[in-house]
Amino acid sequence: MAARLLRLRGLLRAAGPRPFSAQASPLQTEQHGTKRPEPSSAKSLVDIGTRRIFSSDHDIFRESARKFFQEEVLPFHAEWEKDGQVSRELWQKAGQQGLLGVAIAEKHGGIGADILSSAVVWEEQMYVNCTGPGFSLHSDIVMPYIANYGSEEQIKRFIPEMVAGKCIGAIAMTEPGAGSDLQGIRTYAKKDGSDWILNGSKVFITNGWMSDVVIVVAVTNREARSPAHGISLFLVENGTKGFIKGRKLNKIGLKAQDTAELFFEDVRLPASALLGKENKGFYYLMAELPQERLLIADMALASCEFMFEETRNYVKQRKAFGKTIAHLQTVQHKLAEMKTQICVGRAFMDNCLQLHADKRLDSSTASMAKYWSSDLQNSIATQCVQLHGGWGYMWEYPIAKAFVDARVQPIYGGTNEIMKELIARDIVSDK
């Protein structure tokens, strides 16, 4: 595994001495003496070598990621949809390819690239329209909690195995009675000597069925002056006595993504299972949620780009009234509207990605990106299905899968209604 990661790092560093460095902004990068084209003027919205935020180093990595998803994911995804999960072999192949823990620091056992490199992986997964692999949650939601708040022992125990794809991560926030309201959770951990006894249940947990380690959000102080002051995070490993995985949930979309109920019945955890400090969990969640929302937003925009190109290709081939429907002005205008909307969204999205790469993305802006992009994704999905006609309603057509997969995006990661609350709160605040 170490040799493979070294080879990947060598590939990523081929074009310069310090790739992905915060000191050298990709915004200034020129490729072969010419400025990088923006998607609006490129031949395709998914072309490699576009967008000012990226460098030629990112392009090399994107080519590698694209090849992986096209060869190792796309051909098998239909079977995984029937199984309700991807294979463990895929996770290990992704680890060997250097696609997991991309933005986790080398000192912790990660690949050591920047968040823009993680974005390459998010986008390339959406460009093959395969939502099964929960790589993004594993690498860019779960792993940062361990890397940022974990003890040296926890980091050494989990990060290298997670980067290798041998340990699959999940995070358990949502409960049957508490979704976007994190302060309403009921899962409780009480002290028993130096140990903790954990009881409660979680639902809609991505990677839940296949998970080897789960970050569990639990109340640890019921007497705190507010719920936010009494929440802690725990690392619970698969096989721990009392930790029970319920059924894989039968969703209308994301068919190949394992999503599960989790139950905790008198689970005894050692003091070393506490992630970070006691009663600081809510603050850790607030600090990490902007990246989760950015991730959802970028994957939503990438899905829009995929759907547009899929539909463009379809209307140029589908014939009606003696010619392809691409010759119909109504269809042409709809394509023009969609491309404009997507390019406007991409400009804002890339700005957010650059802000986050510079550690300047705030919660309100991340919320804007999440709500706007996921709403746009559903709008584009509806329009693209319409342009496919009856065939767009057939499961074997990629646009049908993209349509149902899009629907959950405005729900998880905090509903879009909550996103608007967060944005509005910042607008009217006197601070």
Side-chain angles (χ1 to χ4, degrees):
M1 177 63 192
R4 290 190 183 96
L5 291 182
L6 285 171
R7 284 199 298 273
L8 174 71
R9 288 166 184 150
L11 175 68
L12 293 176
R13 290 172 179 148
R18 290 194 56 131
F20 315 126
S21 168
Q23 285 77 19
S25 172
L27 285 170
Q28 305 304 319
T29 298
E30 291 191 350
Q31 190 175 36
H32 307 303
T34 59
K35 292 184 178 180
R36 299 169 68 87
E38 290 301 308
S40 58
S41 56
K43 184 177 180 181
S44 162
L45 294 180
V46 300
D47 278 356
I48 295 175
T50 63
R51 299 163 58 190
R52 284 170 290 167
I53 65 170
F54 292 119
S55 69
S56 57
D57 300 321
H58 294 109
D59 296 342
I60 295 169
F61 185 47
R62 187 180 290 277
E63 288 171 359
S64 175
R66 182 165 295 189
K67 186 173 186 287
F68 178 85
F69 281 109
Q70 288 177 343
E71 295 181 359
E72 302 292 347
V73 178
L74 183 58
F76 311 103
H77 202 261
E79 192 61 36
W80 293 332
E81 287 173 353
K82 296 175 186 175
D83 296 339
Q85 64 183 76
V86 304
S87 68
R88 279 199 169 265
E89 181 185 15
L90 175 70
W91 280 90
Q92 294 184 28
K93 286 182 177 179
Q96 292 165 1
Q97 190 71 18
L99 298 178
L100 303 177
V102 171
I104 299 299
E106 279 188 72
K107 66 180 180 181
H108 295 325
I111 301 300
D114 63 359
I115 196 64
L116 299 180
S117 305
S118 287
V120 166
V121 181
W122 308 338
E123 293 165 8
E124 289 304 317
Q125 180 172 345
M126 300 313 291
Y127 289 163
V128 293
N129 197 36
C130 294
T131 52
F135 297 160
S136 58
L137 178 130
H138 168 90
S139 296
D140 301 300
I141 297 177
V142 177
M143 290 177 70
Y145 282 99
I146 300 174
N148 293 339
Y149 311 112
S151 64
E152 185 177 348
E153 177 188 354
Q154 290 169 335
I155 290 170
K156 288 181 177 178
R157 166 75 180 84
F158 293 109
I159 295 294
E161 289 290 290
M162 294 177 82
V163 170
K166 296 177 181 178
C167 175
I168 299 172
I171 184 164
M173 296 189 224
T174 304
E175 298 183 3
S180 296
D181 179 16
L182 287 175
Q183 296 192 57
I185 65 170
R186 295 289 177 265
T187 297
Y188 179 55
K190 68 175 181 179
K191 276 275 187 69
D192 184 33
S194 63
D195 292 346
W196 295 89
I197 306 298
L198 179 67
N199 281 281
S201 64
K202 302 290 183 175
V203 71
F204 310 139
I205 307 306
T206 302
N207 293 347
W209 181 260
M210 297 184 71
S211 63
D212 298 298
V213 62
V214 182
I215 297 174
V216 180
V217 181
V219 174
T220 45
N221 182 4
R222 287 174 168 166
E223 308 303 319
R225 64 179 184 270
S226 76
H229 290 86
I231 289 174
S232 301
L233 307 182
F234 293 90
L235 291 167
V236 182
E237 295 186 62
N238 186 34
T240 303
K241 185 178 180 181
F243 173 25
I244 302 165
K245 294 179 180 180
R247 61 193 173 97
K248 281 185 283 188
L249 300 173
N250 187 19
K251 310 179 297 295
I252 65 170
L254 307 182
K255 291 291 189 179
Q257 190 179 102
D258 68 296
T259 310
E261 298 172 300
L262 303 178
F263 301 94
F264 307 93
E265 298 177 358
D266 291 327
V267 177
R268 181 173 290 275
L269 299 171
S272 60
L274 180 68
L275 181 60
K277 296 181 179 179
E278 182 180 340
N279 297 324
K280 294 295 183 181
F282 187 80
Y283 301 99
Y284 300 153
L285 293 169
M286 292 303 101
E288 299 300 324
L289 278 171
Q291 178 160 303
E292 177 177 346
R293 288 161 183 164
L294 179 73
L295 179 160
I296 293 170
D298 192 36
M299 295 182 84
L301 243 301
S303 177
C304 290
E305 290 160 342
F306 164 81
M307 289 187 287
F308 176 83
E309 295 300 337
E310 187 74 15
T311 303
R312 190 223 300 251
N313 292 336
Y314 179 81
V315 299
K316 289 171 71 175
Q317 297 171 17
R318 178 79 166 95
K319 289 187 176 181
F321 310 108
K323 55 186 176 182
T324 64
I325 62 174
H327 284 86
L328 299 174
Q329 188 182 64
T330 302
V331 172
Q332 293 175 359
H333 285 188
K334 185 59 66 176
L335 291 171
E337 291 170 1
M338 288 195 295
K339 183 174 181 180
T340 301
Q341 291 166 353
I342 294 168
C343 288
V344 169
R346 173 50 72 192
F348 178 61
M349 188 67 249
D350 279 4
N351 183 59
C352 290
L353 286 168
Q354 186 61 55
L355 284 171
H356 194 46
D358 296 339
K359 303 187 184 307
R360 295 170 52 216
L361 181 69
D362 60 35
S363 176
S364 179
T365 306
S367 297
M368 292 179 192
K370 193 269 181 182
Y371 119 69
W372 177 264
S373 297
S374 58
D375 271 7
L376 179 63
Q377 182 184 8
N378 278 269
S379 172
I380 296 295
T382 298
Q383 295 174 75
C384 287
V385 167
Q386 189 72 18
L387 288 174
H388 276 72
W391 296 112
Y393 202 64
M394 298 297 105
W395 187 249
E396 63 265 29
Y397 274 71
I399 199 64
K401 296 180 183 181
F403 176 80
V404 293
D405 287 350
R407 189 57 192 88
V408 74
Q409 292 273 85
I411 298 173
Y412 59 21
T415 66
N416 282 5
E417 289 75 20
I418 294 294
M419 296 303 98
K420 294 173 186 177
E421 283 289 318
L422 295 173
I423 298 164
R425 188 181 303 166
D426 192 56
I427 293 170
V428 302
S429 173
D430 293 328
K431 293 181 180 179

